[in-house]
Amino acid sequence: MQHVNNTAQISMNGVHKRFGNGTLAVRDMSVDIQPGQFVSFLGPSGCGKSTALRMIAGLLSASAGSISVNGHPAGEGGDGRDVGFVFQEATLMPWTTVFDNVYLPLRLAGTSRRAAKDQVNEALSNVGLLGFSQSFPRELSGGMKMRVSIARAMVTKPALLLMDEPFAALDEMTRFKLNNDVLKLWEENNLTVIFVTHSIFESVYLSNRVLVMAARPGRVVDDIALPGGYPRTDEYRTSQEFAENTRIVTRALKGTLDHDESDH
């Protein structure tokens, strides 16, 4: 485990999360994430990936330990706009337009619709949906809805983007395209990204670091720095480097599953 680092954008130090029903969802999680990293939380269901992400976002409180984000305690300080969150479902308001869905975080922050127009249009342009600003969610495909959700998370120009299995329900080709879109946003906006996924292939394609987690209780069991630079392209998916990185991560994940099976 890493020690808390003052230069880290996110520091989790000895973090536990126990829910009211007694379930220990996360145990002793100590992780530092540096600015500009693309980190995947990878592991089986019930290993605490989403719980850890929600604690970083300030949506859940830790039962013990501390979490620092962008220089202040998780969920405190800042203006609430320095962290963007993309949920597993697009969670759009069906009764209003794409523009107004993306405008929502700025509206909640007190920015007038007129003052926000350029910012909203820029966020939509960045996900290829500027021409759909007056459409309603029911008129969009699943992939387009997720693009709107990403635009909404990016409209405040956050330093940190948190993504909770955003593409799990999408077909593989749409998922590949959105993976590339997220990498483009990450590179162009100097973001730090934490991405929760069940997919070994997705974690290896996107990340320069994979935190492998095990369940019962949720904990980090491996911290893998992936060699190889960016940009990642479709050619990378068929490269020897991708195959080797996939083997490394697969071995680490299989070790967690074997361990869990031996516990029963």
Side-chain angles (χ1 to χ4, degrees), residues 31-246:
V31 171
D32 290 333
I33 295 173
Q34 306 301 326
Q37 287 190 322
F38 198 122
V39 180
S40 284
F41 288 176
L42 175 72
S45 295
C47 71
K49 305 183 301 294
S50 294
T51 299
L53 197 74
R54 287 166 183 259
M55 287 192 290
I56 291 169
L59 300 175
L60 287 175
S61 58
S63 302
S66 63
I67 306 173
S68 172
V69 179
N70 295 326
H72 52 76
E76 300 177 19
D79 58 5
R81 293 188 286 174
D82 53 356
V83 178
F85 199 105
V86 179
F87 294 90
Q88 189 167 353
E89 303 293 331
T91 60
L92 303 179
M93 299 178 293
W95 59 86
T96 194
T97 63
V98 164
F99 182 98
D100 283 319
N101 270 283
V102 175
Y103 168 48
L104 178 63
L106 297 176
R107 179 166 70 83
L108 294 174
T111 305
S112 73
R113 204 170 186 278
R114 177 175 295 193
K117 183 179 178 182
D118 288 347
Q119 216 166 321
V120 172
N121 285 339
E122 180 186 358
L124 285 170
S125 178
N126 284 340
V127 297
L129 288 180
L130 186 56
F132 293 86
S133 64
Q134 297 310 306
S135 299
F136 286 83
R138 65 178 177 273
E139 300 169 319
L140 306 180
S141 68
M144 292 168 78
K145 289 176 185 175
M146 192 51 70
R147 288 177 196 272
V148 176
S149 184
I150 293 169
R152 183 178 58 194
M154 290 294 297
V155 74
T156 60
K157 300 186 185 302
L160 173 64
L161 183 62
L162 307 176
M163 308 188 80
D164 190 6
E165 294 190 76
F167 310 142
L170 302 176
D171 66 85
E172 196 166 29
M173 292 311 296
T174 302
R175 190 170 183 160
F176 283 3
K177 178 70 171 72
L178 287 169
N179 283 169
N180 289 338
D181 290 346
V182 167
L183 285 177
K184 186 168 180 279
L185 286 171
W186 170 62
E187 291 175 323
E188 290 181 350
N189 295 277
N190 299 312
L191 289 169
T192 305
V193 177
I194 305 178
F195 192 97
V196 166
T197 181
H198 283 107
S199 168
I200 293 168
F201 300 105
E202 188 168 55
S203 71
V204 171
Y205 185 74
L206 292 172
S207 314
N208 46 35
R209 182 179 173 196
V210 177
L211 295 182
V212 179
M213 298 184 67
R216 297 182 291 276
R219 61 206 185 278
V220 176
V221 293
D222 218 332
D223 186 344
I224 302 168
L226 295 181
Y230 293 84
R232 303 271 167 88
T233 62
D234 289 338
E235 288 71 34
Y236 175 68
R237 294 186 192 277
T238 57
S239 69
Q240 186 63 39
E241 183 179 275
F242 180 77
E244 179 55 31
N245 285 342
T246 300

Side-chain angles (χ1 to χ4, degrees), residues 15-19 21-28 46-48 51 63 215-219:
V15 172
H16 294 253
K17 178 60 181 180
R18 188 181 294 277
F19 288 109
N21 63 3
T23 300
L24 184 60
V26 172
R27 183 183 74 188
D28 193 27
C47 71
T51 299
S63 302
R216 297 182 291 276
R219 61 206 185 278

